[in-house]
Amino acid sequence: MSDPSPPPFLEACARRAPSRRPIWIMRQAGRYLPEYRALREQHGFMTLMKTPDLAVEVTLQPIRRFDLDAAILFADIMTPVEGMGFDLEFAPGPVIANPVRTPADLDRLRTAEPEETVPFVLEAVRTLRAELPAHVPLIGFAGAPFTLFCYVVQGGSSKSFMAPRGFLRRHPDAAVALLERLADVQLAYLRAQHAAGAQALMLFDSWSGLLGPETFSELVLPSVRRIRQGLADTGVPFIYFPFGGSTLLETLRGEPFDVVGIDWRLPLSRARAILGDDVALQGNLDPAALFADRAGLTRAARRVIDEAGTHPGHIFNLGHGIEPDVDPDQVAHLIDVVHDPSD
């Protein structure tokens, strides 16, 4: 008997021709699924994250329902910062009761091993690897240093994150030191997820798009490189998603990333022209397209596929997370179109 075909997701990450175009969806385990909402009626968000059996259940819900090509661990990008000494809660977004406001605040931060601070995450990863089908790889993830920097300096969510952006300018040395500290924590967190069984590792950079290319390149990109270099020996794909980062792509050309996520604001053909052929692209359907009728959704999905062209390194995804009021049947239709766009 011949060996089964390699998982299409991993083949596309490696820029090898997959047996079909892979698709997964950011926030695919979440509020648009009735089975998730039923769990949320019984448990708080942090309870779901910190209880391995529940986190496994939420991760598996979309895999049971849809023919997806990858699973992503149910967790939150803020999870590791508690171990640094930050007082974190969700209301519903992240709130830090003791943010960094001066360089002296860095002295109170601590570093601990992931096995001590996030054992529930690692247990969930180990269980998921045993329960997921062989053709559905598990993606582990973390928040990029600058995105976490924004939250731990601002103290919560913001449209402009002016406090952290101002901190970058007022205290550049302290800012870089904090970014490096965050990078080291995230690196250890991602390595622990890999050791537990994650088959790809993704870095979500939700707020780097607030920066100009020069500031990003000089102050922020080195912390991303620090993580990438620290993961080089794992041999698993590394995905970097700079949301809102279309103006930053020139600075990423030539970086040793396996996959770069692209939001819906930039056609994939233009992203490919900027980044070159030595990287796979992930994306980039506008999440709003899921509210179109079936014909409109089909056209939008095919447009993304056309923009991706014939390069084997394309992983279909949304350009951001799925919205909570999306009809799950629309997701099923999208997956069918991606897997057979000519149908």
Side-chain angles (χ1 to χ4, degrees):
M1 180 181 294
S2 61
D3 293 334
S5 299
F9 169 78
L10 295 180
E11 289 291 275
C13 287
R15 306 183 306 283
R16 295 188 293 263
S19 58
R20 68 183 186 183
R21 188 180 306 268
I23 175 174
W24 70 277
I25 295 172
M26 287 182 280
R27 296 182 185 162
Q28 65 189 23
R31 293 174 291 174
Y32 73 106
L33 291 177
E35 52 267 47
Y36 174 83
R37 291 196 296 270
L39 273 182
R40 281 289 278 116
E41 289 177 359
Q42 304 173 52
H43 307 285
F45 182 67
M46 293 191 78
T47 299
L48 288 180
M49 285 196 305
K50 293 187 174 185
T51 307
D53 288 348
L54 292 175
V56 167
E57 170 61 22
V58 175
T59 303
L60 291 175
Q61 284 176 347
I63 305 303
R64 296 191 193 108
R65 182 183 274 262
F66 305 119
D67 186 19
L68 291 159
D69 293 290
I72 186 164
L73 173 70
F74 178 76
D76 190 87
I77 62 170
M78 299 299 293
T79 302
V81 305
E82 283 190 292
M84 299 178 70
F86 289 107
D87 185 2
L88 171 69
E89 62 178 318
F90 290 88
V95 176
I96 302 287
N98 54 341
V100 170
R101 291 293 166 78
T102 70
D105 289 335
L106 272 66
D107 295 337
R108 62 177 164 80
L109 302 182
R110 64 188 185 93
T111 301
E113 292 300 316
E115 289 79 4
E116 173 191 343
T117 59
V118 288
F120 47 90
V121 171
L122 307 183
E123 183 178 341
V125 171
R126 285 188 286 267
T127 302
L128 283 164
R129 270 304 300 275
E131 296 195 15
L132 281 166
H135 69 281
V136 181
L138 177 64
I139 304 169
F141 72 91
F146 179 70
T147 288
L148 299 185
F149 176 96
C150 283
Y151 287 115
V152 302
V153 175
Q154 186 76 34
S157 296
S158 168
K159 290 183 178 180
S160 65
F161 284 104
M162 194 56 67
R165 289 163 61 197
F167 193 100
L168 273 177
R169 306 304 179 109
R170 282 195 307 274
H171 310 293
D173 291 343
V176 168
L178 178 54
L179 287 165
E180 289 178 349
R181 187 85 64 89
L182 289 165
D184 290 343
V185 168
Q186 300 306 86
L187 171 58
Y189 181 48
L190 288 169
R191 289 189 67 87
Q193 289 183 59
H194 169 255
Q199 294 151 284
L201 299 170
M202 182 165 177
L203 202 62
F204 285 91
D205 210 346
S206 303
W207 300 115
S208 59
L210 293 172
L211 301 174
E214 183 175 323
T215 302
F216 174 78
S217 180
E218 291 181 0
L219 299 179
V220 172
L221 184 54
S223 64
V224 177
R225 289 191 187 118
R226 191 181 184 98
I227 293 173
R228 179 65 188 110
Q229 291 166 358
L231 295 172
D233 66 332
T234 65
V236 301
F238 177 82
I239 308 168
Y240 179 56
F241 178 44
F243 176 64
S246 298
T247 58
L248 307 177
L249 293 187
E250 290 281 0
T251 68
L252 299 180
R253 185 180 177 95
E255 294 292 333
F257 304 151
D258 299 293
V259 184
V260 174
I262 308 295
D263 67 40
W264 70 92
R265 299 172 180 90
L266 186 72
L268 290 180
S269 60
R270 290 174 59 189
R272 173 66 65 200
I274 295 169
L275 290 169
D277 290 337
D278 294 333
V279 65
L281 300 182
Q282 181 171 275
N284 67 339
L285 183 70
D286 184 343
L290 286 164
F291 296 103
D293 60 20
R294 288 293 172 85
L297 176 56
T298 298
R299 286 193 300 271
R302 288 175 175 167
R303 190 175 305 120
V304 170
I305 292 169
D306 289 344
E307 285 287 339
T310 59
H311 193 288
H314 177 228
I315 300 148
F316 198 104
N317 208 312
L318 303 184
H320 198 234
I322 189 170
E323 291 296 310
D325 47 351
V326 164
D327 181 350
D329 288 344
Q330 289 285 82
V331 175
H333 177 71
L334 173 64
I335 294 169
D336 287 344
V337 172
V338 172
H339 285 160
D340 189 3
S342 63
D343 189 13

